[in-house]
Amino acid sequence: MGARRFDPERRDRIIGAALDVIAAEGVAGASHRKIAAHAGVPLGSMSYHFSGMDELLAEAFTRFSTSVSDRFDERLGRAEGIDAARQAVVDLIHEDLLDSQRDLVLTHELYTLAARKPAFRAITHDWMARSRRALGLHFDPDTCRMLDALIEGLSIHAALDAEPSNTEPSSGSEPHSRARTAAAVARITTPGTAAPDHTAPDHIAPDDPAASDHTREATHE
């Protein structure tokens, strides 16, 4: 019987292959056999390196989310000043997220998996926390949450939209153009441009009977 061939990169290769198969066929279409074939390893290597498919998926999606977070850290870490930070957010959206169909698919495969299986929400939670920490180098916490929502929302729209996103900086006609994204980022990050708070009592019309009641209550407080 021949000696077992030492292959220290085999586990790493399997994780990379898992992401490739998921990007092509989705989590539902990913099997041990397909991943092993794509990685060029014996089928028995799957059970040798991983306790099951959930462990492999967790490793693969952790690698993916970490790579995206690293790009967030890099771009926002080297931005100097608010204008550069805004530009970094636009570049993240259009160059790192919307420009890669593979990343869009992997992102939403992870979201779907986390929605069904709580164990995978730790990955999305850590990803979100890292993104907001990177944004927090330049923006306050409320603004970070709004920017995070913008980024997530645009990725969903781009993944499902029949029209390709427009990455030309000078064009603003397409729904996912850089110009529109830059305008949205500027609006979110500019003080005083937030939507008014309609929960405040100042929206009550002067002839509204409730207005006089509110005034009397405030007077006696």
Side-chain angles (χ1 to χ4, degrees), residues 4-169:
R4 185 187 187 93
R5 188 167 66 90
F6 180 61
D7 185 359
E9 297 180 356
R10 180 172 294 184
R11 190 176 192 278
D12 184 73
R13 215 161 55 244
I14 292 171
I15 294 172
L19 288 172
D20 290 342
V21 173
I22 293 167
E25 303 191 39
V27 169
S31 67
H32 284 99
R33 189 174 298 279
K34 289 179 182 177
I35 294 170
H38 191 75
V41 302
L43 184 58
S45 294
M46 304 298 290
S47 58
Y48 178 81
H49 290 286
F50 303 95
S51 61
M53 183 59 78
D54 277 1
E55 183 186 1
L56 174 54
L57 290 175
E59 292 268 6
F61 280 122
T62 296
R63 173 182 293 186
F64 168 67
S65 63
T66 298
S67 71
V68 177
S69 295
D70 287 345
R71 281 176 265 164
F72 265 65
D73 289 344
E74 181 183 356
R75 286 192 182 275
L76 288 161
R78 67 172 182 250
E80 297 183 4
I82 191 68
D83 289 337
R86 288 170 178 153
Q87 185 60 50
V89 173
V90 175
D91 290 343
L92 277 167
I93 292 170
H94 284 273
E95 296 177 18
D96 294 341
L97 298 178
L98 303 192
D99 200 41
S100 171
Q101 183 64 24
R102 180 180 187 273
D103 284 4
L104 286 174
V105 170
L106 288 173
T107 297
H108 292 97
E109 286 290 333
L110 172 56
Y111 289 169
T112 302
L113 187 62
R116 289 199 312 265
K117 295 188 174 184
F120 288 88
R121 291 175 199 165
I123 301 173
T124 56
H125 179 272
D126 290 345
W127 185 1
M128 185 182 299
R130 277 196 65 181
S131 298
R132 290 185 181 175
R133 279 199 301 272
L135 292 166
L137 295 172
H138 306 280
F139 308 107
D140 64 81
D142 285 343
T143 301
C144 290
R145 282 190 288 272
M146 288 187 284
L147 286 173
D148 200 28
L150 173 69
I151 294 168
E152 297 293 341
L154 283 174
S155 74
I156 293 172
H157 279 256
L160 302 179
D161 202 329
E163 295 295 327
S165 62
N166 188 335
T167 58
E168 291 299 321

